Amino acid sequence: MTDKSATINKPVFMISSGIVLLLVAIAAAMPEASTSFFQSLQAQVVEFAGWFYVTVVAIVLVSVLYFGLGRYSDIKLGPDHSQPDYSAASWFAMLFSAGIGIGLLFFGVAEPVMHLMSPPHGAGGDVEAAREAMKLTFFHWGLHAWAIYALVGLALAYYGYRHNLPLTLRSALYPLLGEKIHGGWGNAVDIFAIIGTIMGVATSLGYGVTQISAGLGYLINVPETLGVQFTIVVVITIFATASVLSGLDKGIKRLSEINMVLALLLLLFILFAGPTIYLLQALIQNTGNYLSDFVGKTFNLYAYDPTDWLGGWTIFYWGWWIAWSPFVGMFIARISRGRTIREFIMGVLFVPAGFTFLWMTVFGNSAFDIISNEGMALATDVQSNNAVALFKFLEYFPFSAVISTVTIVMIVIFFVTSADSGALVVNMLATGGKDDTPVWQRVYWTSTIGISAAILLARGGLGALQTVTILSALPFCFILLMMIAALFRSLKLDYQKKQSLLDSMNTTPPSITSEGNENWLDRIDMIASLPQAQRVREFISGTARIAIEAVSLAMEERGYQTRIKQGEDSLELEIMHGDEINFIYSIRKRRLQRPDFTPTGTNAKNQEHYYRPEVYLREGGQNYCIMDYSKEQIINDVLDHYEKHRHFLDMVRT
């Protein structure tokens, strides 16, 4: 049985729970006063720090593009030998569902129409307003949003999987804070992330329940009462809890894949049931307009033509994406082990943004077409109640009742995946990166999210909590900048290590030994025999152990401190370098699939697998076998890699 006390970081767990309880209590006890106070505070932030939000988001986007397309892009998020845990389709479905999937359903029709009717400047409703509406929609939901998520996810995955630090937000600051991440500073960062995640997910759940309730009322006349909304919260919380308890592979993964299929079917239905050619033309033109005005929109603060629109839209969105980034970024990191930085950035930045552009065009431009040909009824409905905008929109298509029902199912699943992935992330933050924790802890966090949403629905404090969530983005901006600085420092060292391995060539061919010229026949026998596990273990504990001990003894005689760690299937030598990076050389047993071409008569012919001892460095597996190396060969191999490590340290110092 799991030791419950060992899985909790008590300061993080207790303090974050207490602050969440306090914030919910204040918002529920004084909904109007707290909302007014926090909104006035937000207005001050927009007025005096709007430029800072815009600058930080621009820096984040440029940095992420550099990481993904520059010289660091081949570095893996994990050891060099690691492979992705999930297929590309499953990976994309999960990051999309946890990211902004629900937002597309809510705003896919509403936002373009609202921009059409109320642009930053001008009366709206004309062709120019339509172009600007789609440009703004792409801007708010495009590369900038996903770059924020990508930065946090990249930092957490890199330090968690390549440097074996806990998969929590504090680890992203290790190069700057050092061992302080394990104390009060690290606790403060994780507490901040937990509070932001719970408030963000609870607020979204509360507003989402109103959309689901409005949809049910629209379709089957279910009254939009508090009791109905409570019931919806309970149902979503129960499903989210069941999903979290079933695990990432069974719960969140499967729900995400189901919802991704439903979203694609809905998208294709609207595309082909609507004005298909017009929508395809609009997609190309919208994308071109977005790219042509990309830099101008990025830095536009309306300094020469001031408007309140900026704070209500762009700054609001930037604050929302930043506030959600600990949650979404950490979840993306959790599912991204084994990918290169290039694969990660391409998958997290460009693929979701491309799908988002397609979605917004199909729904937004279809809505424009309806308004143009059918009158202003849809625009009026959207402006009066954007919670039912999507359902009003679907009225203009065949099988609207069936499609609306499927849409409600999608909304429920999206909120379930948001709630369960949020609970998964919070649970990991509160346990130092562990996700194999007792049932009660996972139930506690899903219940906390659901109960918070229910209380705020009843008392009307959702607006206050949402504003607090957005305000939390301001201090987190500084954490994002620290993450960028830490990543640049760490990736530079990683890259220099790779270069040192290339620059310092191996000087001892492993096939040449002092045992005579017939040693190559022994190597052929070894290759043909496909060794089994016991033979590899004997080699590691015998010849390899003798060689490693000889190197260790020789180094210690010369004043170096070393450590040897022996496992059943592994052997590791570590040479200490004080404050610099230690050298690690290990030999591990690796299992491989027996090749189909194994000749008849081979000992391993009837074995499904065979084994070989491979060399692993700090950076991961080196993908070569040292089976039947002599003592001298192993010693020379260790020294070759050690010389490369010393060359790397010399590069770092210069």
Side-chain angles (χ1 to χ4, degrees):
M1 181 178 293
T2 306
D3 181 5
K4 295 181 181 181
S5 63
T7 63
I8 296 177
N9 184 328
K10 290 184 179 179
V12 173
F13 183 90
M14 300 301 294
I15 295 174
S16 58
S17 296
I19 293 176
V20 168
L21 176 63
L22 178 63
L23 288 172
V24 171
I26 292 173
M30 302 178 291
E32 294 182 2
S34 58
T35 300
S36 176
F37 171 76
F38 289 125
Q39 285 180 347
S40 65
L41 189 60
Q42 182 187 359
Q44 296 296 312
V45 170
V46 170
E47 181 179 356
F48 295 105
W51 63 271
F52 181 63
Y53 276 73
V54 168
T55 304
V56 169
V57 172
I59 292 172
V60 167
L61 178 57
V62 171
S63 300
V64 167
L65 289 173
Y66 178 77
F67 292 142
L69 303 177
R71 61 181 181 174
Y72 306 137
S73 59
D74 290 330
I75 296 173
K76 277 198 173 182
L77 302 177
D80 288 339
H81 61 278
S82 58
Q83 296 297 319
D85 292 337
Y86 300 98
S87 67
S90 296
W91 180 56
F92 172 66
M94 285 190 285
L95 69 89
F96 186 79
S97 294
I100 58 176
I102 189 61
L104 296 186
L105 283 174
F106 194 92
F107 287 104
V109 172
E111 181 167 345
V113 172
M114 286 189 283
H115 289 326
L116 171 70
M117 304 309 297
S118 301
H121 293 286
D126 55 15
V127 173
E128 185 56 37
R131 287 198 197 95
E132 185 68 13
M134 294 311 301
K135 195 186 299 184
L136 290 168
T137 302
F138 274 33
F139 178 59
H140 291 152
W141 293 82
L143 297 178
H144 296 76
W146 285 100
I148 297 168
Y149 293 162
L151 173 64
V152 179
L154 174 63
L156 294 175
Y158 176 77
Y159 292 111
Y161 296 131
R162 193 161 180 88
H163 292 277
N164 297 316
L165 291 171
L167 196 61
T168 62
L169 196 65
R170 68 178 71 198
S171 296
L173 303 180
Y174 182 81
L176 302 180
L177 298 181
E179 294 302 315
K180 291 180 181 179
I181 68 164
H182 301 300
W185 284 103
N187 288 343
V189 171
D190 285 346
I191 289 168
F192 180 84
I194 288 175
I195 295 168
T197 297
I198 291 179
M199 290 192 302
V201 176
T203 302
S204 293
L205 178 60
Y207 283 121
V209 165
T210 62
Q211 186 186 26
I212 296 171
S213 177
L216 292 173
Y218 170 74
L219 285 174
I220 54 177
N221 295 319
V222 174
E224 296 182 45
T225 62
L226 198 57
V228 171
Q229 293 176 346
F230 271 9
T231 302
I232 296 171
V233 171
V234 170
V235 170
I236 291 177
T237 303
I238 290 173
F239 278 120
T241 303
S243 177
V244 169
L245 293 179
S246 65
L248 182 61
D249 292 342
K250 294 181 180 179
I252 298 174
K253 176 185 173 184
R254 291 179 181 175
L255 286 175
S256 298
E257 290 173 344
I258 290 171
N259 232 21
M260 199 67 220
V261 171
L262 292 176
L264 284 171
L265 291 176
L266 177 61
L267 178 71
L268 292 173
F269 173 78
I270 300 299
L271 175 62
F272 291 110
T276 307
I277 300 301
Y278 161 69
L279 294 177
L280 295 175
Q281 292 173 335
L283 174 63
I284 302 301
Q285 187 166 342
N286 291 342
T287 304
N289 290 338
Y290 168 74
L291 294 175
S292 66
D293 203 16
F294 185 82
V295 175
K297 279 282 187 285
T298 298
F299 296 100
N300 189 3
L301 286 164
Y302 296 93
Y304 295 102
D305 47 355
T307 173
D308 293 337
W309 183 94
L310 181 69
W313 284 102
T314 301
I315 302 302
F316 173 89
Y317 268 124
W318 288 178
W320 191 248
W321 300 142
I322 292 170
W324 267 61
S325 62
F327 153 46
V328 180
M330 187 168 172
F331 180 76
I332 293 173
R334 174 64 180 82
I335 62 177
S336 298
R337 184 181 186 274
R339 300 190 181 277
T340 65
I341 292 178
R342 180 185 294 109
E343 291 173 333
F344 179 87
I345 297 302
M346 291 295 178
V348 176
L349 190 61
F350 293 108
V351 177
F355 183 83
T356 300
F357 292 167
L358 176 60
W359 184 282
M360 289 299 191
T361 295
V362 169
F363 284 83
N365 283 97
S366 293
F368 292 172
D369 183 70
I370 292 170
I371 293 170
S372 175
N373 295 313
E374 303 290 339
M376 300 299 293
L378 178 60
T380 302
D381 291 333
V382 169
Q383 289 180 306
S384 62
N385 184 3
N386 54 33
V388 295
L390 180 59
F391 302 107
K392 291 289 186 179
F393 167 80
L394 293 174
E395 279 186 358
Y396 294 89
F397 292 86
F399 314 111
S400 61
V402 175
I403 299 301
S404 296
T405 302
V406 172
T407 301
I408 290 179
V409 172
M410 288 175 58
I411 294 172
V412 171
I413 296 177
F414 267 128
F415 274 113
V416 169
T417 54
S418 290
D420 59 13
S421 54
L424 173 72
V425 165
V426 169
N427 188 46
M428 292 177 66
L429 287 166
T431 56
K434 306 179 185 71
D435 58 3
D436 182 18
T437 55
V439 170
W440 74 266
Q441 285 179 221
R442 288 171 278 175
V443 173
Y444 172 81
W445 292 117
T446 50
S447 301
T448 298
I449 292 171
I451 292 171
S452 298
I455 292 174
L456 295 171
L457 270 172
R459 298 294 301 169
L462 284 172
L465 204 62
Q466 183 185 50
T467 307
V468 173
T469 304
I470 297 168
L471 287 171
S472 70
L474 182 59
F476 196 72
C477 283
F478 294 97
I479 296 179
L480 291 179
L481 295 176
M482 293 173 68
M483 281 186 186
I484 292 171
L487 272 173
F488 269 112
R489 177 181 296 183
S490 299
L491 291 174
K492 180 181 178 181
L493 290 176
D494 214 326
Y495 179 77
Q496 288 177 326
K497 182 62 181 291
K498 281 183 170 291
Q499 289 301 113
S500 72
L501 294 176
L502 295 174
D503 295 343
S504 178
M505 301 303 294
N506 204 338
T507 57
T508 308
S511 60
I512 298 177
T513 72
S514 61
E515 297 180 5
N517 295 330
E518 299 301 312
N519 185 61
W520 61 273
L521 292 174
D522 296 333
R523 292 182 64 81
I524 288 180
D525 289 338
M526 184 274 293
I527 293 170
S529 66
L530 301 181
Q532 292 303 292
Q534 185 57 35
R535 185 180 171 190
V536 173
R537 290 194 189 101
E538 291 173 355
F539 172 77
I540 292 175
S541 61
T543 304
R545 176 85 190 193
I546 293 171
I548 293 298
E549 287 178 342
V551 174
S552 174
L553 178 61
M555 295 299 292
E556 290 189 345
E557 287 175 348
R558 288 157 177 80
Y560 288 84
Q561 182 182 357
T562 68
R563 179 185 62 83
I564 296 176
K565 182 178 180 181
Q566 175 83 57
E568 181 182 6
D569 298 319
S570 65
L571 178 67
E572 180 178 286
L573 169 67
E574 183 173 7
I575 301 177
M576 311 303 180
H577 278 270
D579 294 334
E580 295 186 313
I581 300 172
N582 294 340
F583 170 74
I584 293 177
Y585 180 100
S586 63
I587 304 169
R588 304 180 195 177
K589 184 189 75 176
R590 182 184 176 192
R591 188 177 76 165
L592 298 102
Q593 191 76 25
R594 180 184 62 81
D596 293 334
F597 57 78
T598 306
T600 304
T602 301
N603 292 338
K605 178 64 180 177
N606 297 321
Q607 301 291 337
E608 184 178 354
H609 299 93
Y610 76 102
Y611 300 81
R612 67 185 200 180
E614 291 192 356
V615 172
Y616 286 71
L617 303 177
R618 177 182 290 275
E619 297 74 33
Q622 301 303 296
N623 295 313
Y624 68 90
C625 172
I626 62 169
M627 188 68 195
D628 286 344
Y629 271 32
S630 67
K631 170 187 171 182
E632 289 75 16
Q633 281 181 289
I634 296 174
I635 290 173
N636 281 319
D637 194 53
V638 173
L639 295 180
D640 285 337
H641 283 296
Y642 183 65
E643 286 181 347
K644 296 173 184 178
H645 183 75
R646 291 288 294 266
H647 178 61
F648 159 67
L649 294 180
D650 291 338
M651 293 173 61
V652 172
R653 294 189 205 102
T654 57

